[in-house]
Amino acid sequence: MTIRVLVADDQQLVRTGFQMILDAQPDMEVVAAVADGAEAVAEARRLRPDVCLLDIRMPRLDGIEVTRILAGPGVENPLRVVIVTTFDLDEYVYGALRSGATGFLLKDSGPTLLIEAVRAAAAGDALVSPSVTVRLLQHLAQPRRAAPPPMNDPLTERELDVVRLIARGRTNQEVAAELFVSLSTVKTHLGSIFAKLGVRNRVEIAAWAWESGVVS
């Protein structure tokens, strides 16, 4: 199966570079390369790519707003978005992930991490640049001003085990191995967790886990 990718960046050199890296992979194809946010939204809606790679700062609509439109809360059939930017600022990281992005990479992360992030997003997993992950988790681990509201349908102990491992960056395969269960069982647990928490991706599961004190 070929992973269809949309690239959006206002710098032609970056767009060309990403396209060359991704098109060189046997399982990837760049189906659109655009220079601004409005065009990214239009092409993403028209082509329905498997993964959208977005820069933060773009003309007309920035990457966070594009993410919110394509993958944010309330969006039907959300697309998978990975933010790739030079701007290593916390407000961008949190804004992107809260808007529905499934990954956040710095442009100097290198081609290997870029390819891994696209594959992870296509598979429903999340990949965040290691330097960003440390700060993100430190931020989310800060005490909340108020305890989260009680859940109508609390997570089971096994679902909490899955949540803890997801929050520590484990893949589905690693979760299955550590809990001695099948991959299909992990996916079933994840489906239940998504429904109970009202979230749509692993980043939001991790955020909930750290904010609610399930992991520390």
Side-chain angles (χ1 to χ4, degrees):
M1 172 185 154
T2 300
I3 301 170
R4 300 166 64 253
V5 184
L6 176 145
V7 175
D9 195 294
D10 61 345
Q11 298 181 50
Q12 183 174 355
L13 190 61
V14 173
R15 292 197 306 275
T16 302
F18 284 176
Q19 184 161 5
M20 290 176 63
I21 291 168
L22 299 176
D23 278 341
Q25 306 308 307
D27 59 340
M28 295 183 191
E29 176 191 5
V30 175
V31 294
V34 300
D36 68 66
E39 194 176 358
V41 170
E43 287 296 276
R45 285 175 169 170
R46 182 177 72 88
L47 297 168
R48 298 291 303 176
D50 300 304
V51 179
C52 300
L53 287 181
L54 307 179
D55 188 18
I56 287 278
R57 292 188 180 177
M58 294 186 291
R60 298 167 74 187
L61 290 174
D62 67 30
I64 292 177
E65 184 60 27
V66 173
T67 301
R68 191 175 294 116
I69 291 170
L70 298 178
V75 175
E76 289 188 23
N77 301 316
L79 294 172
R80 289 163 179 165
V81 173
V82 176
I83 295 290
V84 188
T85 184
T86 54
F87 302 103
D88 184 14
L89 300 177
D90 289 353
E91 62 188 279
Y92 288 150
V93 179
Y94 309 140
L97 298 180
R98 291 302 189 196
S99 295
T102 59
F104 191 102
L105 287 182
L106 302 179
K107 286 182 180 174
D108 61 4
S109 296
T112 300
L113 209 56
L114 176 69
I115 293 163
E116 287 181 8
V118 170
R119 289 203 178 108
D125 291 332
L127 194 152
V128 178
S129 284
S131 62
V132 174
T133 302
V134 173
R135 289 205 323 276
L136 177 66
L137 297 183
Q138 287 174 341
H139 170 81
L140 294 175
Q142 298 301 314
R144 291 168 60 103
R145 292 191 179 93
M151 297 172 60
N152 293 328
D153 189 6
L155 299 180
T156 66
E157 282 302 316
R158 183 44 60 121
E159 288 167 353
L160 285 170
D161 290 339
V162 172
V163 164
R164 291 185 186 101
L165 292 173
I166 294 297
R168 297 191 183 282
R170 304 294 196 274
T171 64
N172 286 357
Q173 288 86 350
E174 289 169 339
V175 172
E178 291 196 35
L179 297 181
F180 302 102
V181 297
S182 68
L183 189 58
S184 62
T185 298
V186 172
K187 291 179 178 178
T188 299
H189 286 317
L190 279 174
S192 176
I193 292 164
F194 287 142
K196 289 181 178 181
L197 298 183
V199 301
R200 294 185 310 186
N201 61 55
R202 301 163 73 89
V203 174
E204 290 181 273
I205 290 177
W208 177 88
W210 286 90
E211 290 179 339
S212 61
V214 170
V215 291
S216 60

